[in-house]
Amino acid sequence: LRKRLAEVYPEAIVSTELNPLTAVARGAAIFAKGNTTLPGTIPNVQDILTSSVGLRVREDDMYAMAEAGVMLPLTTTKLYKPMYDDQEYTEVVICQGNHHLASHNVELGRFRLGPCPHWVTVAVNSSGTVDITAKQSENNEQVLMKRVKIWNM
């Protein structure tokens, strides 16, 4: 593969530092972004999310708040409600990956919310920092619950 790449792209520096799956994901992101850039420009790979960032919902479902391939920075919000009337708290688990089951993705962090509904906001900047904030639906106070770094940015 290296020999073939050297033939097609003789001036390219072939790196073997990346995980092959990450390299393919980044290449696909560059290719996808290629249709939206001006001619002659090279996209910054860090401006594209290479794997989804989401929340574990129900038992183990992954709810993608930010889908792989979207442009960064981005901010998205979801209303989190208790599943049961007498539920004392809701545990929020933040994951990164593209599997539909949260347990098959990388856990970035977790926190607990009280019993009332909360608006949970996920903001990802171009350097790969993810801020998760929560706001009770009854008041306007927004609280930073977790700040994490995406593992493969």
Side-chain angles (χ1 to χ4, degrees):
L1 182 59
R2 280 188 220 153
K3 182 179 176 184
R4 179 72 178 126
L5 284 171
E7 290 170 3
V8 175
Y9 305 100
E11 298 193 20
I13 299 171
V14 179
S15 171
T16 57
E17 294 178 16
L18 285 178
N19 172 313
L21 294 176
T22 301
V24 170
R26 288 185 178 184
I30 290 171
F31 179 78
K33 186 179 178 192
N35 295 327
T36 61
T37 58
L38 297 172
T41 62
I42 299 172
N44 182 350
V45 175
Q46 288 188 329
D47 290 342
I48 301 171
L49 190 62
T50 58
S51 59
S52 298
V53 174
L55 307 173
R56 184 184 72 193
V57 294
R58 295 181 205 87
E59 294 299 316
D60 192 28
D61 292 337
M62 168 79 161
Y63 175 80
M65 297 275 294
E67 294 278 350
V70 299
M71 295 292 297
L72 298 176
L74 71 86
T75 301
T76 183
T77 302
K78 175 185 178 358
L79 181 62
Y80 240 78
K81 300 178 191 174
M83 289 179 63
Y84 312 105
D85 289 337
D86 60 346
Q87 190 171 339
E88 293 180 20
Y89 65 89
T90 300
E91 184 170 58
V92 179
V93 179
I94 305 106
C95 301
Q96 180 189 4
N98 297 319
H99 200 279
H100 70 281
L101 295 176
S103 61
H104 291 243
N105 295 314
V106 176
E107 183 178 317
L108 298 176
R110 59 177 64 213
F111 58 90
R112 288 185 177 186
L113 297 174
C116 60
H118 289 77
W119 290 99
V120 175
T121 300
V122 173
V124 186
N125 68 22
S126 294
S127 66
T129 300
V130 182
D131 285 340
I132 297 96
T133 56
K135 181 173 78 170
Q136 287 186 1
S137 57
E138 286 96 33
N139 64 33
N140 287 329
E141 182 182 350
Q142 192 156 356
V143 178
L144 178 66
M145 302 304 288
K146 204 73 157 171
R147 175 172 281 156
V148 294
K149 183 81 169 165
I150 294 177
W151 64 276
N152 71 340
M153 283 296 285

